[in-house]
């Protein structure tokens, strides 16, 4: 057993950090929220060149994967820097098409290489199982919608419904009424598999988001002075931050364990592990967001401070790809 | 990255499982916090020792199996999954023994460890005093130089297991001219018999009345030099060096919580109202928490195996498992409904009272081995880098 991130994975994470740090993601996020995706698309291509999306695409479709552990490592970084766009949905679409291809239904062959290369940005929705909305459906190049055992592409999308996290541009996909892309039990199974990838990527993203919130808040309480001392001197402040670290530290191994389960073949174990990781990481990130908001005082309640980009996302990720209640039920029922 | 066990580790697990299946008493032993229970648990330690299962991670020469940290974790998983008795020798094995391995002499290890492994000598701890709890370094019990040793005087309290144990270990002030700003200096780590002349043991009933701990009145108790661990005056360093590192991982093994969470899941399957999703969520959280603790420990063990170490991170552990333990048992008692209030001594109590006993035991978790407030201070200051402040 070596339940540790290895050197190569560390280096990969570090290189993504460098790339994202230089990208000034808060500005990219604000532009994306305002319906100006150019900077986001440029960042997307850089992430693709770094290999992020190829991790979800198998080698026979010009990818590197599927490598769920590396995906978890990468998505933790994307979360840390609050990268905008349908990153989770693109990975889920790749997982869906890959799985279907393994069952001999090759409808994704045209898409997978361009998902890996970053040329195509995909959104993915499962309206009856999860949300009626597809993330960034107005910007994505292709919107895949799986309802039960039927997969279709969206022809158009409804109006953007603003999310509490404005960077998440939600819209109802309007699917074609003609012959579906694919139909049958293999579609339903591939969709479930894709949903596990979506949940894992969301959990990893949440973990990174939570860590970024904690780091910023620790930095703030060290320099913010009241009663003549940094407020980080006070136990009431310290203990809240300590509890936030505890929550994040114990969510981390669940995320890696879920990734390992996804790399294996035990589907019931995968469902349990992914659900445990999803609820724990998202709750930890949400705890971190409440801590960050509170310890920044009224500043933390403002839109202007970039912290708000992370705070608002923490709430949205909590329910994306598996509500806390659904996840807890899956831990016990599968 | 992997979570795989080697063939040798699987074989070790199978051996432990088979042995436990054959030997674990069918009916739980009486509570180890009672005279009868203590004696029965002591006997169980001897049974464990017969086949070298009482201290698996010790070297063979002291009665262990030289097991790796991972093998120890495997043993603990099997131990608690088998419903085996609580460990009356826990204080000695997980607190004193690692200190002796790091700071004791060969003579001390040869003299102290084998009887500990057999359960012949059960150890109590003697840290806290009425005026020295979280601020342990302010302790006032003294060790005064005497011919060939030291004389101990003062009052120790909350001494776990001391009502029935044989010997105790703890810290004493050997240099009374302490610098007020550096109370950690001038302390000495000593071992002493609880039946020595000058020792009076007054048992204290814990919340359910069982004498789980005691006050120790010490009046010039003689301790020979051979029972000092490490250098006189260096006791704080000796005590704290093993407080972190491996012991941070081994004070409460994940196996204990995995087994309890599995029993809780069983209770849910058996008794729950499926519509009660609030309770279902709490059961799920306990199952997830136990798994998280297990995985966190595997990561720590992997780090140690790769040459790393665990320092202040052990404070994360302490906060996590102590709160998990309470939440898990509260959930079980709620699931039991009207039977949940029965004491572990009630003949009607489900699972031989183990939920009630476990709940009472869990309530002390956030208090002992450094309160969770102290742990959170450590996390904030040493892991997050926040400035020191008033406690």
């Amino acid at each position: 057993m070596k339940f540790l991130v290895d050197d190569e994975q560390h280096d990969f994470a570090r290189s993504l950090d460098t790339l994202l740090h230089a990208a000034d993601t808060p500005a990219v996020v604000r532009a994306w929220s305002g319906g100006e995706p150019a900077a986001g698309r440029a960042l997307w291509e850089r992430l693709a060149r770094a290999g992020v999306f190829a991790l979800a695409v198998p080698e026979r479709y010009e990818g590197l994967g599927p490598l769920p552990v590396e995906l978890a490592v990468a998505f933790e970084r994307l979360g840390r820097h609050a990268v905008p766009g349908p990153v989770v949905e693109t990975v889920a679409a790749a997982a869906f098409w890959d799985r279907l291809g393994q069952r001999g239904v090759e409808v994704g062959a045209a898409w997978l290489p361009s998902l890996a290369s970053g040329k195509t940005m995909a959104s993915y929705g499962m309206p009856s199982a999860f949300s009626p909305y597809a993330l960034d459906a107005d910007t994505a190049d292709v919107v895949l919608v799986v309802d039960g055992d039927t997969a279709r592409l969206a022809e158009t999308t409804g109006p953007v419904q603003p999310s509490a996290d404005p960077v998440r541009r939600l819209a109802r996909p309007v699917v074609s009424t003609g012959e579906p892309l694919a139909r049958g039990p293999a579609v339903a199974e591939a969709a479930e598999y894709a949903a596990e990838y979506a949940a894992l990527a969301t959990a990893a993203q949440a973990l990174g988001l939570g860590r970024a919130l904690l780091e910023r808040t620790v930095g703030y309480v060290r320099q913010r002075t009241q009663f003549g001392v940094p407020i980080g001197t006070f136990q009431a402040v310290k203990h809240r931050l300590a509890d936030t670290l505890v929550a994040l530290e114990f969510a981390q191994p669940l995320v890696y364990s879920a990734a390992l389960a996804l790399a294996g073949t035990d589907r019931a174990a995968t469902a349990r592990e992914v659900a445990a990781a999803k609820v724990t990481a998202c709750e930890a990130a949400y705890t971190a967001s409440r801590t960050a908001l509170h310890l920044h005082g009224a500043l933390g309640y403002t839109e202007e401070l970039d912290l708000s980009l992370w705070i608002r996302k923490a709430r949205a990720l909590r329910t994306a790809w598996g509500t806390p209640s659904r996840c807890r039920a899956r831990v016990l029922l599968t | 990255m992997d979570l795989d066990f080697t063939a040798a580790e699987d074989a070790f697990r199978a051996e432990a499982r088979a042995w436990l299946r054959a030997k674990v008493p069918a009916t739980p032993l009486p509570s180890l916090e009672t005279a009868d229970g203590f004696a029965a648990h002591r006997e169980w330690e001897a049974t464990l020792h017969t086949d070298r299962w009482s201290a698996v991670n010790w070297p063979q020469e002291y009665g262990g199996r030289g097991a790796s940290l991972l093998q120890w974790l495997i043993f603990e998983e099997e131990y608690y999954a088998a419903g085996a008795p609580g460990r009356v020798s826990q204080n000695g094995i997980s607190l004193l023994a690692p200190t002796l391995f790091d700071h004791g002499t060969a003579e001390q290890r040869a003299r102290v460890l084998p009887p500990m492994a057999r359960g012949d000598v059960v150890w109590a701890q003697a840290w806290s005093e009425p005026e020295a709890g979280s601020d342990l370094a302010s302790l006032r019990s003294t060790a005064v130089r005497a011919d060939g040793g030291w004389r101990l005087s003062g009052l120790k309290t909350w001494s776990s297991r001391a009502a029935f144990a044989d010997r105790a270990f703890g810290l004493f002030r050997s240099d009374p001219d302490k610098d007020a700003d550096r109370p950690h200096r001038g302390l000495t780590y000593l071992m002493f018999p609880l039946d020595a002349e000058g020792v009076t043991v007054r048992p204290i009933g814990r919340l359910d009345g069982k004498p789980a701990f005691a006050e120790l009145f010490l009046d010039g108790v003689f301790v020979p030099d051979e029972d000092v661990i490490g250098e006189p005056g260096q006791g704080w360093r000796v005590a704290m060096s093993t407080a972190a590192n491996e012991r941070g991982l081994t004070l409460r093994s994940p196996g204990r919580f995995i087994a309890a969470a599995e029993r809780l899941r069983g209770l849910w399957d058996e008794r729950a109202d499926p519509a009660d999703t609030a309770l279902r969520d709490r059961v799920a959280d306990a199952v997830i928490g136990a798994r998280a603790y297990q995985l966190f420990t595997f990561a720590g063990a992997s780090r140690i195996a790769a040459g790393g170490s665990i320092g202040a991170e052990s404070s994360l552990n302490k906060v996590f498992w102590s709160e998990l333990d309470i939440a898990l048992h509260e959930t079980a008692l709620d699931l039991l409904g009207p039977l949940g209030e029965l004491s572990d001594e009630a003949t009607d109590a489900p699972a031989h009272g183990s939920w009630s006993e476990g709940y009472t035991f869990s309530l002390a978790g956030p208090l002992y081995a450094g309160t969770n407030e102290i742990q959170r201070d450590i996390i904030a200051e040493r892991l997050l880098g926040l400035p020191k402040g008033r406690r």
Side-chain angles (χ1 to χ4, degrees):
Chain A
M1 175 183 302
K2 198 169 182 192
F3 191 46
L4 292 175
V5 171
D6 67 26
D7 290 345
E8 211 174 312
Q9 290 158 344
H10 260 304
D11 290 347
F12 177 48
R14 250 196 306 271
S15 70
L16 288 177
D17 260 340
T18 308
L19 186 164
L20 290 166
H21 201 74
D24 185 18
T25 49
V28 180
V29 169
R30 289 186 188 275
W32 187 279
S33 308
E36 294 163 29
R41 296 231 44 150
L43 178 58
W44 189 278
E45 278 163 34
R46 264 175 283 156
L47 287 170
R49 274 200 295 280
V52 170
F53 303 112
L55 296 172
V57 175
E59 285 182 29
R60 65 193 180 111
Y61 292 115
E62 298 165 35
L64 302 164
L67 290 170
V69 173
E70 280 72 13
L71 269 172
V73 169
F75 271 75
E76 198 183 322
R77 271 27 231 189
L78 303 194
R80 231 175 227 270
H81 296 273
V83 169
V87 283
V88 167
E89 290 68 22
T90 290
V91 162
F96 174 79
W97 274 320
D98 172 28
R99 189 70 161 190
L100 214 50
Q102 288 169 32
R103 300 292 197 85
V105 187
E106 294 283 1
V107 291
W111 298 107
L112 285 165
S114 68
L115 290 182
S117 71
K119 280 196 200 69
T120 297
M121 181 183 275
S123 186
Y124 176 76
M126 292 172 66
S128 43
F130 294 95
S131 168
Y133 308 109
L135 182 65
D136 299 312
D138 62 332
T139 311
D141 305 300
V142 57
V143 180
L144 174 63
V145 180
V146 184
D147 219 347
D149 69 349
T150 307
R152 294 176 188 274
L153 298 185
E155 283 186 332
T156 177
T157 59
V160 169
Q161 300 290 327
S163 160
D165 176 16
V167 79
R168 291 172 58 84
R169 297 172 62 84
L170 303 172
R172 284 179 196 266
V174 180
V175 295
S176 59
T177 50
E179 191 58 21
L181 197 62
R183 171 177 281 159
V187 170
E189 196 270 335
E192 199 177 309
Y193 175 77
E196 303 287 17
Y197 265 89
L200 172 71
T202 305
Q205 208 183 0
L207 199 58
L209 191 80
R211 294 227 183 245
L213 283 160
L214 178 60
E215 274 166 26
R216 277 161 186 259
T217 309
V218 165
Y220 181 73
V221 303
R222 285 163 58 97
Q223 55 94 6
R224 168 70 176 168
T225 298
Q226 286 289 276
F227 305 103
V229 291
I231 60 171
T233 315
F234 305 133
Q235 269 188 320
V237 169
K238 276 182 180 164
H239 290 191
R240 193 153 178 175
L241 289 164
D243 283 336
T244 304
L245 182 65
V246 169
L248 291 164
E249 287 286 346
F250 283 88
Q252 177 102 49
L254 285 169
V255 171
Y256 289 138
S257 168
L260 286 171
L262 255 177
T265 54
D266 183 341
R267 287 182 52 195
T270 302
R272 279 196 305 273
E273 297 275 307
V274 169
K278 168 70 176 68
V279 63
T280 309
C282 288
E283 294 291 73
Y286 183 68
T287 298
S289 76
R290 292 289 318 282
T291 300
L293 195 163
H294 189 77
L295 296 184
H296 277 79
L299 265 184
Y301 190 58
T302 62
E303 199 273 337
E304 195 179 320
L305 197 70
D306 282 342
L307 191 76
S308 66
L309 309 181
W310 279 259
I311 290 176
R312 294 183 294 190
K313 194 186 288 295
R315 170 182 155 195
L317 293 188
R318 246 184 121 199
T319 45
W321 296 110
T323 61
S325 179
R326 180 186 192 273
C327 290
R328 290 186 171 107
R330 270 171 92 78
V331 167
L332 291 186
L333 299 179
T334 48
Chain B
M1 182 186 297
D2 73 273
L3 279 165
D4 304 332
F5 295 105
T6 62
E9 284 158 356
D10 286 337
F12 177 83
R13 183 189 291 279
E15 187 189 351
R17 184 176 296 181
W19 188 89
L20 289 161
R21 189 171 293 154
K23 303 283 184 169
V24 168
T27 312
L29 305 180
S31 167
L32 73 77
E33 312 295 5
T34 62
D36 287 354
F38 199 91
H41 281 78
R42 190 198 283 272
E43 210 162 303
W44 169 248
E45 291 292 321
T47 306
L48 281 168
H49 175 262
T50 308
D51 291 310
R52 295 181 174 270
W53 292 112
S54 65
V56 293
N57 53 334
W58 290 7
Q60 301 224 359
E61 57 181 309
Y62 303 120
R65 289 171 170 250
S68 68
L69 181 54
L70 195 53
Q71 282 178 315
W72 179 80
L73 290 167
I74 291 168
F75 172 74
E76 290 280 302
E77 283 182 10
E78 293 301 322
Y79 187 87
Y80 289 102
R87 300 294 304 274
V88 71
S89 289
Q90 168 92 19
N91 282 329
I93 289 172
S94 74
L95 296 170
L96 177 58
T99 305
L100 285 172
F101 283 122
D102 286 357
H103 299 281
T105 63
E107 184 278 325
Q108 287 173 329
R109 287 194 282 272
R111 178 161 50 88
V112 173
L113 296 177
M116 185 193 295
R118 289 193 299 269
D120 289 348
V121 175
V122 176
W123 290 82
Q125 1 178 10
W127 305 114
S128 298
E129 297 177 4
E131 303 300 327
S134 286
D135 186 10
L136 183 62
S138 71
L139 64 87
R140 292 190 288 204
S141 291
T142 54
V144 176
R145 203 77 186 96
D147 192 18
W150 301 81
R151 287 204 179 268
L152 309 183
S153 296
L155 173 55
K156 291 288 185 181
T157 192
W158 317 129
S159 177
S160 301
R161 305 289 102 72
F164 308 109
D166 306 295
R167 294 174 65 87
F169 55 92
L171 287 177
F172 292 84
R173 190 159 299 286
S174 51
D175 179 4
D177 299 327
K178 65 165 176 128
D179 178 344
D181 292 334
R182 296 177 180 276
H184 308 81
R185 296 210 175 151
L187 300 176
T188 297
Y189 196 128
L190 294 123
M191 303 181 278
F192 58 97
L194 288 170
D195 61 358
E197 203 184 321
V199 179
T200 306
V201 178
R202 189 185 77 83
I204 305 172
R206 68 173 182 190
L207 201 56
D208 66 358
K210 296 193 184 77
F213 40 26
E215 281 180 303
L216 308 177
F217 297 85
L218 307 170
D219 183 10
V221 179
F222 180 75
V223 177
D225 283 328
E226 64 190 34
D227 282 340
V228 172
I229 304 176
E231 290 298 312
Q234 296 295 312
W236 185 262
R237 200 178 59 79
V238 171
M240 291 305 135
S241 69
T242 42
N245 210 352
E246 210 172 287
R247 197 170 78 194
L249 280 184
T250 58
L251 182 60
R252 287 281 176 264
S253 73
R256 217 170 142 260
F257 302 104
I258 292 281
E262 278 310 305
R263 282 200 296 277
L264 179 65
R265 183 205 281 265
L267 208 55
W268 163 259
D269 288 343
E270 206 175 284
R271 294 176 180 256
D273 168 5
D276 189 347
T277 53
L279 201 47
R280 180 204 68 193
D281 283 357
R282 290 166 61 197
V283 174
D285 280 342
V287 170
I288 294 168
R291 176 67 172 156
Y293 184 49
Q294 180 188 42
L295 291 166
F296 185 86
T297 307
F298 284 152
S302 298
R303 209 149 78 227
I304 289 172
S309 62
I310 305 286
E313 288 87 351
S314 63
S315 292
L316 298 166
N317 262 21
K318 166 76 202 314
V319 170
F320 190 82
W321 65 249
S322 57
E323 295 190 346
L324 168 65
D325 204 21
I326 293 178
L328 191 155
H329 284 90
E330 281 172 349
T331 306
L333 296 184
D334 286 356
L335 254 167
L336 290 171
L339 299 183
E341 75 167 270
L342 292 176
S343 120
D344 60 289
E345 286 168 359
T347 53
D348 274 1
H352 301 281
S354 64
W355 290 116
S356 180
E357 160 77 21
Y359 171 71
T360 303
F361 185 79
S362 76
L363 290 177
L367 306 174
Y368 59 71
T371 66
N372 285 9
E373 283 66 34
I374 292 294
Q375 308 299 340
R376 288 184 174 99
D377 280 349
I378 293 172
I379 292 166
E381 290 167 14
R382 298 199 209 153
L383 298 179
L384 294 175
L386 293 172
K388 264 186 177 292
R390 281 191 61 80
R391 298 282 176 243

